[in-house]
Amino acid sequence: MVRLNKIYTKTGDDGTTGLGSGERRKKFDARVEAYGTVDEANAAIGLARLHTGSEASDIDKVLARIQNDLFDLGADLSTPPTDKELGYEPLRIVASQIERLENDIDVFNERLEPLKSFILPAGSPAATMLHLARTVVRRAERLAVAARDEAGENVSDEAIRYLNRLSDFLFVAARICNGDGRDDVLWVPGASR
């Protein structure tokens, strides 16, 4: 269990941060960018939950689980695989977390009409905030892939899959929060020419 007795440590004043392995990295390091953006996505989901608790409690329950999963994902991304003894078993995203997201997508998608156009990130406050969270998750995914592709780095396939499925879930959840898709704001190509 994590215990935080002191909030500021001053160890980051030099522009570095500590990974779960104890290694120090620059704060703009690709791995740090990835897990920092996961944290940002988590905050965006928290903002969306200001509206889903009353408007879409079924979505809100899944979002609460996802917020916890995102801390697992942050732990995974912040602890690169190492041969060094860490004194603990690093937390990793596992296949069952991805499968649960896929199941959630399938269950909620059953309620939606098929799409006939792209959807603008708009509609109800909950839907709009979920679309924002989706775009932040997509950025986190791009950054995790960039970190994985750097020489000497190793980011798990499960972490990247989780981010990919999460953005899909948030898209479906946004549509649910737009009256099961009835109130989606559709893109009209060239409408303002």
Side-chain angles (χ1 to χ4, degrees):
M1 189 55 97
V2 174
R3 174 171 278 169
L4 300 174
N5 293 328
K6 191 169 183 175
I7 299 305
Y8 64 91
T9 62
K10 302 182 184 179
T11 58
D13 292 350
D14 65 354
T16 65
T17 191
L19 298 183
S21 61
E23 178 186 352
R24 303 292 298 175
R25 296 272 183 102
K26 292 287 190 180
K27 290 187 177 186
F28 57 80
D29 177 83
R31 181 177 291 278
V32 176
E33 287 280 359
Y35 72 74
T37 305
V38 166
D39 189 36
E40 184 181 345
N42 204 343
I45 290 170
L47 189 59
R49 290 188 66 208
L50 291 173
H51 300 279
T52 57
S54 58
E55 295 176 21
S57 62
D58 50 350
I59 292 288
D60 190 68
K61 288 176 186 163
V62 176
L63 293 174
R65 186 192 78 234
I66 286 168
Q67 284 195 286
N68 197 79
D69 282 354
L70 288 176
F71 264 73
D72 292 354
L73 179 58
D76 186 332
L77 292 171
S78 71
T79 311
T82 180
D83 293 334
K84 181 177 124 181
E85 176 56 42
L86 297 176
Y88 66 94
E89 181 67 30
L91 190 58
R92 302 291 181 210
I93 291 294
V94 295
S96 62
Q97 289 169 295
I98 299 161
E99 290 163 8
R100 193 157 183 195
L101 268 180
E102 290 172 347
N103 183 62
D104 293 332
I105 292 166
D106 293 342
V107 166
F108 285 110
N109 199 48
E110 284 291 318
R111 293 170 41 180
L112 301 173
E113 291 295 317
L115 285 172
K116 297 181 177 98
S117 177
F118 286 108
I119 294 173
L120 300 179
S124 73
T128 303
M129 290 178 193
L130 287 167
H131 279 300
L132 178 61
R134 174 185 55 79
T135 66
V136 176
V137 168
R138 283 286 189 211
R139 181 163 28 98
E141 180 185 10
R142 292 189 303 270
L143 291 166
V145 169
R148 179 195 65 195
D149 290 352
E150 282 192 4
E153 284 294 348
N154 186 352
V155 173
S156 76
D157 291 339
E158 289 80 8
I160 292 169
R161 277 191 207 104
Y162 186 90
L163 287 164
N164 189 279
R165 294 310 179 284
L166 178 55
S167 63
D168 294 337
F169 173 79
L170 293 171
F171 178 79
V172 169
R175 294 196 67 211
I176 293 292
C177 291
N178 268 342
D180 289 347
R182 291 181 305 278
D183 300 324
D184 283 335
V185 181
L186 302 179
W187 173 46
V188 180
S192 59
R193 287 184 177 180

